[in-house]
Each structure stands twice: as C-alpha cells, then as structure tokens.
C-alpha cells in the first residue's frame, strides 16, 4: 500500500527475481520509498524474497513466531519482531499488523490500512470459491474463530485481499468462516 510517496509491502513475492522487479517498480514507476516489508507468515509466499528486500536496506517486521519459524526452517529471518500488534507509518497514514489467532499457520497475521479500509488477509483469508489449500502447518479447529475476531474488529472493512486469488469484500471473511466451520 502507498501514501504520499511512501510504500509498505505486505508479503514478498515467492522468489528473488520477482522481488527485485517489484522493488524496482515501486521505486521507479510509483516513485515511492519503501518503508517496510511485512511477511504475514513464515511460508515462502510471504518471505521467499526477503533477502532482496534486506539487500535494498528495507526494514522487515514480523510476528515473533514468524521469526522463530523462519529460524527453525533456515529461511531468511525478518529483522524486527512484534508480540501482538504493530503500527507502521506510511506517508501521512498508518497500517496495523496484528495477530488474531491461528489458522493457515500458527503465526499468520493480517494487516489493516484504515485510511482505505483495506484488509490484507494473507493465506488466512480465502478468495471466493477457493479450496482450503495447504494444511500442513494449519490449525483448522481455530481457523473460523480467528476470522470471526477479525470480522468483529474491522466492521468498516471495504476491501479484503486474500493471500491468493482475486480481492473481494467482507464476503471473503464469511466465506472463510464457513469453509472452516467445525460443527
Ligand atoms: Zn502459507
């Protein structure tokens, strides 16, 4: 997301080549300074290109568990950790990165940009008609509960960006809650 010639990137592309291209595009085409990179969980669709961001002196911020899992898996490790939520400045506005509970992984967080009412759900939030996806690190039991908390906190949300697939609105939260309903 961008505001007043500053940008924050939520999740790196999966590889270094695409990350280089993204950084170049934000700097040269959007003419923005990149304030931060925030991976929303430890999988490579969130931090696979982190090394390139670090080489470009872009600070990285992640939930403490994401840092722990990145270390355990010998992935590139985000530099700055937070324990519950974090507020970052972008231009004249702010974004919130926050942990609401387990789901796709035990460390998945979301980011919210109040200025445009945009929720970046990462792999915790599913696109319309999406399947449950990779469940190897998941907590299927808590998933719906976690999304319900998000829905309650951001009742003014207008745009919901899932980890994969087309963006949507509040209905993606309801779709995800239903998909992982346990009873
Ligand atoms: Zn994932």
């Amino acid at each position: 997301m961008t505001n007043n010639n500053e940008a924050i990137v939520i999740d790196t592309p999966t590889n270094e080549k695409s990350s280089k291209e993204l950084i170049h595009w934000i700097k040269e085409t959007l003419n923005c300074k990149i304030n931060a990179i925030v991976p929303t969980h430890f999988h490579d669709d969130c931090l696979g290109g982190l090394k390139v961001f670090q080489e470009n002196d872009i600070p990285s911020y992640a939930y403490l568990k994401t840092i722990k899992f990145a270390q355990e898996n010998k992935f590139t490790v985000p530099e700055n950790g937070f324990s519950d939520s974090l507020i970052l400045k972008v231009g004249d506005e702010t974004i919130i990165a926050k942990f609401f509970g387990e789901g796709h992984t035990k460390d998945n967080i979301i980011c919210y940009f109040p200025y445009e009412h945009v929720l970046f759900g990462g792999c915790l939030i599913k696109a319309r008609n999406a399947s449950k996806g990779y469940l190897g690190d998941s907590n299927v039991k808590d998933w719906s509960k976690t999304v319900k908390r998000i829905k309650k906190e951001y009742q003014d949300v207008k745009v919901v960006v899932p980890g994969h697939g087309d963006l949507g609105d509040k209905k993606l939260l309801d779709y995800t809650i239903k998909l992982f309903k346990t009873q």
Side-chain angles (χ1 to χ4, degrees), residues 33-38 50 53-54 56-61 79-80:
K33 171 182 175 278
I34 305 174
N35 287 3
I37 167 76
V38 185
L50 189 59
F53 284 82
Q54 292 179 344
N56 280 272
D57 296 319
I58 298 163
S60 47
Y61 298 86
E79 291 148 348
N80 309 290

Side-chain angles (χ1 to χ4, degrees), residues 121-133 143 160-177 179-180:
C123 296
L124 179 64
I125 305 300
K126 295 290 172 187
R128 209 160 62 93
N129 298 327
S131 65
K132 291 183 179 178
W143 201 318
V160 176
V161 186
H164 302 277
D166 294 338
L167 44 85
D169 58 17
K170 248 184 205 173
K171 287 190 210 106
L172 297 190
L173 303 181
D174 294 323
Y175 175 73
T176 308
I177 290 168
L179 187 65
F180 291 98

Side-chain angles (χ1 to χ4, degrees), residues 4 17 24 29 37 80 89 96 100 115 126 146 160:
N4 204 5
K17 185 172 174 282
H24 184 82
T29 308
I37 167 76
N80 309 290
K89 256 195 91 215
I96 303 152
F100 278 88
Y115 180 63
K126 295 290 172 187
T146 301
V160 176

Side-chain angles (χ1 to χ4, degrees), residues 41-46 104-105 123 134 137 164:
H41 65 283
F42 74 101
H43 288 157
D44 67 358
D45 52 358
C46 299
H104 172 67
T105 55
C123 296
Y134 174 69
D137 298 310
H164 302 277

